Amino acid sequence: MKKILLASASLFALSALAPASAADLAARPYTKAPVAVASIYNWSGFYIGANAGGASSHNCWDVNNIAGIPGPDTAEGCHNATGAVVGGQIGYRWQSTNWVFGLEAQGDWANLKGSNTSLVLAPLVNETKIDAIGLFTGQVGYAWNNVLWYVKGGAAVTHAKYNGTVVGVVLDSASETRWGGAVGTGLEFGFAPNWSVAIEYDHLFMGKRNNSFTVLGFNDRIDNIKQDVDMGTVRLNYTFGGPVVARY
């Protein structure tokens, strides 16, 4: 009986002390939630990249001199010289709020070929081959974080070779480096720190130029050739800068 009374008294004492012990415990300190961190893509900095795609050049030939005898421009016909382009670009961009400004130089190897039978000198076939294209442009764009839409404009240069052939044999030829203007637009996506990919369209206004054709070292005709170029490329850029981290 004494053992039962002692056990009961012990349980009563422990139950009485428990609330007091709980009350003596210190309250858990308040911990502030971690600050959220947002990654904001920064388009500023120097960049270098590669591009590849296709292009089409529309060329219209007008003969105005045959064997040294001048005459009015007489249409020989038009053709499209089409093919692949591949090359690289280098530039610099700076960003102010959402606006992005830049300067860029681009150079591409090209393999644009086309031909048509002359409407004046048949069976002569006039052939165009453009083997190089260059662009020197300024850019203005608007960025939605890592997405950039831009327009561009400036100078363009092409190198072209022209042949007059009969049954596949070259009769006369000419070549030139031609300067003109360019406008374009593109949409670029930053998919990783420093890396971005873009699609771009450019139109080159190359104007009209006289070209003197020679056969065995002698000038046999002069053609006034009008040329323009449409280019579509996919571009991959690496920017020496990349995204910055902003806290809010």
Side-chain angles (χ1 to χ4, degrees):
M1 187 66 178
K2 289 181 180 181
K3 291 182 179 181
I4 294 174
L5 289 174
L6 286 173
S8 300
S10 299
L11 289 172
F12 178 78
L14 287 173
S15 62
L17 289 172
S21 299
D24 290 339
L25 291 175
R28 175 179 291 182
Y30 171 75
T31 303
K32 187 178 180 181
V35 177
V37 178
S39 178
I40 298 178
Y41 201 90
N42 178 17
W43 293 94
S44 296
F46 286 97
Y47 63 91
I48 189 170
N51 69 81
S56 177
S57 173
H58 191 63
N59 301 269
C60 292
W61 297 39
D62 297 334
V63 64
N64 56 38
N65 188 305
I66 298 177
I69 302 173
D73 284 354
T74 304
E76 290 194 72
C78 302
H79 57 261
N80 292 324
T82 60
V85 295
V86 61
Q89 63 275 346
I90 186 170
Y92 180 78
R93 287 174 174 149
W94 60 96
Q95 184 169 351
S96 177
T97 64
N98 293 87
W99 293 97
V100 180
F101 307 90
L103 296 171
E104 182 182 276
Q106 175 179 332
D108 284 78
W109 167 86
N111 188 31
L112 312 184
K113 297 179 180 179
S115 64
N116 71 280
T117 300
S118 172
L119 301 177
V120 178
L121 303 172
L124 188 73
V125 175
N126 291 326
E127 298 179 346
T128 298
K129 179 181 179 181
I130 296 176
D131 56 17
I133 298 173
L135 300 175
F136 304 91
T137 55
Q139 298 180 3
V140 179
Y142 191 86
W144 295 268
N145 196 17
N146 64 325
V147 178
L148 172 66
W149 171 72
Y150 61 89
V151 294
K152 61 191 293 187
V157 59
T158 61
H159 183 265
K161 299 177 180 178
Y162 308 110
N163 290 326
T165 66
V166 177
V167 295
V169 178
V170 175
L171 177 66
D172 58 6
S173 61
S175 64
E176 67 166 343
T177 297
R178 181 183 299 210
W179 286 88
V183 294
T185 185
L187 187 65
E188 193 160 349
F189 173 71
F191 63 90
N194 305 98
W195 290 97
S196 60
V197 64
I199 54 173
E200 182 176 298
Y201 164 78
D202 298 292
H203 181 80
L204 282 56
F205 303 89
M206 305 310 296
K208 300 177 71 174
R209 302 286 189 278
N210 279 331
N211 284 268
S212 296
F213 285 74
T214 59
V215 53
L216 299 177
F218 297 96
N219 174 249
D220 67 325
R221 62 171 169 150
I222 297 175
D223 265 79
N224 186 272
I225 301 175
K226 182 180 183 297
Q227 180 186 101
D228 59 22
V229 181
D230 292 287
M231 291 176 58
T233 54
V234 176
R235 298 152 56 93
L236 179 67
N237 286 329
Y238 181 87
T239 300
F240 297 91
V244 298
V245 174
R247 295 182 179 272
Y248 62 89

